[in-house]
Amino acid sequence: MRTETPVVADPAREEPSTQRGLSILRPVLVLLVIALLASPSSAEVSLSLVGGWGGTTSPEADLELGPETDLSYDAAEGSFLQYDARITWWSPRPTGWGLGLDLAWAASEIDLTPDLFFIAVQPPPDLALTSLEADLDAVTLHLLRRRVTRGTLGLPLVLYGGGGIGALVPEIRGRIGTREIDSRELAGPRLEAVLGLESELDPGIGLTLEARVHYSRLAVDLPRSSSIDADFWGASLLFGITLRNGPLPGT
């Protein structure tokens, strides 16, 4: 009978999860700052800082625990607090296109732990999945179109919408057997539709209300030759402020 020698990770060589997370998100944050500072004064640039509640569901998750245990189950629905920052470069016209780079943080995690009580063939103890959670942090590139008009009170209003494509970058936490899982991974693609309304309070400052619908795919390798694959559908309602380097065109 063939025996396998377990591979024990060297703790001295493992990065803490916070460091791993920053190593992925830091280039995006740096790019946001550089893009904002490097934009010419003649270009219209806006920075939206919003937050709110989101909800998500996964109709089915596929979980492999080792080479012999393959489970399909309904992942739990979840709600979460979301924070978001997006920098957008706009064409200098009241009706025009914009290109935005968006970074979304989920302040809570989605529970992906299956109920093994109803599984006929139980995995061995060293592959028992006692907990598994993931957030839905993501980086997305948005293509937006807007229309600048005036509301009933005479304040400039911006109605905008569009969509985007990006990547899901979740933090995964859990336990398989005695092995702790705590890492941030590049997990899969993300598609998003956006519809928003901005009311300018003062030149360069506006209040923003935004609704989003998104699809994300999470496909991550886990310790001990295990993996999880799940599709997420969700929606978010966000509000906050938008800052821009000048007044809206046409106002």
Side-chain angles (χ1 to χ4, degrees), residues 2 23 35 41 56 75 115 122 124 136 159 188 210:
R2 186 182 67 179
S23 66
S41 58
T56 188
D115 190 346
Q122 294 290 321
L136 296 180
L159 179 64
E210 190 169 292

Side-chain angles (χ1 to χ4, degrees), residues 98-114:
L99 185 65
L101 181 61
D102 185 275
L103 182 59
W105 294 270
S108 55
E109 298 173 330
I110 306 300
D111 188 3
L112 296 173
T113 311

Side-chain angles (χ1 to χ4, degrees), residues 24-222:
I24 294 176
L25 297 179
R26 187 183 293 116
V28 180
L29 293 172
V30 171
L31 182 59
L32 281 173
V33 174
I34 292 176
L36 187 60
L37 295 177
S39 299
S41 58
S42 59
E44 183 189 347
V45 183
S46 67
L47 175 64
S48 298
L49 303 172
V50 294
W53 288 100
T56 188
T57 182
S58 178
E60 186 175 277
D62 294 319
L63 177 67
E64 291 186 2
L65 296 174
E68 298 180 359
T69 305
D70 192 353
L71 310 177
S72 293
Y73 62 98
D74 294 334
E77 297 181 359
S79 61
F80 52 89
L81 185 63
Q82 178 178 331
Y83 302 102
D84 190 279
R86 181 179 63 231
I87 181 172
T88 308
W89 295 265
W90 294 101
S91 62
R93 295 191 299 272
T95 301
W97 294 95
L99 185 65
L101 181 61
D102 185 275
L103 182 59
W105 294 270
S108 55
E109 298 173 330
I110 306 300
D111 188 3
L112 296 173
T113 311
D115 190 346
L116 297 180
F117 180 79
F118 297 100
I119 303 302
V121 179
Q122 294 290 321
D126 63 331
L127 291 175
L129 180 66
T130 55
S131 66
L132 185 64
E133 296 179 331
D135 60 33
L136 296 180
D137 295 350
V139 180
T140 311
L141 189 65
H142 287 153
L143 180 63
L144 304 172
R145 186 165 177 82
R146 72 176 178 186
R147 181 181 180 185
V148 181
T149 183
R150 286 193 177 272
T152 55
L153 299 179
L155 296 175
L157 291 177
V158 183
L159 179 64
Y160 61 92
I165 185 170
L168 188 66
V169 194
E171 186 173 8
I172 310 293
R173 294 182 181 179
R175 177 189 290 269
I176 295 182
T178 59
R179 179 71 178 272
E180 292 283 350
I181 306 169
D182 190 356
S183 65
R184 187 176 293 276
E185 307 286 346
L186 183 63
R190 179 182 177 92
L191 302 175
E192 190 166 57
V194 178
L195 181 63
L197 179 66
E198 178 193 342
S199 176
E200 189 177 58
L201 301 179
D202 199 58
I205 303 177
L207 292 180
T208 301
L209 177 65
E210 190 169 292
R212 302 186 183 189
V213 178
H214 54 80
Y215 161 80
S216 302
R217 183 172 182 83
L218 185 149
V220 176
D221 291 330
L222 302 175

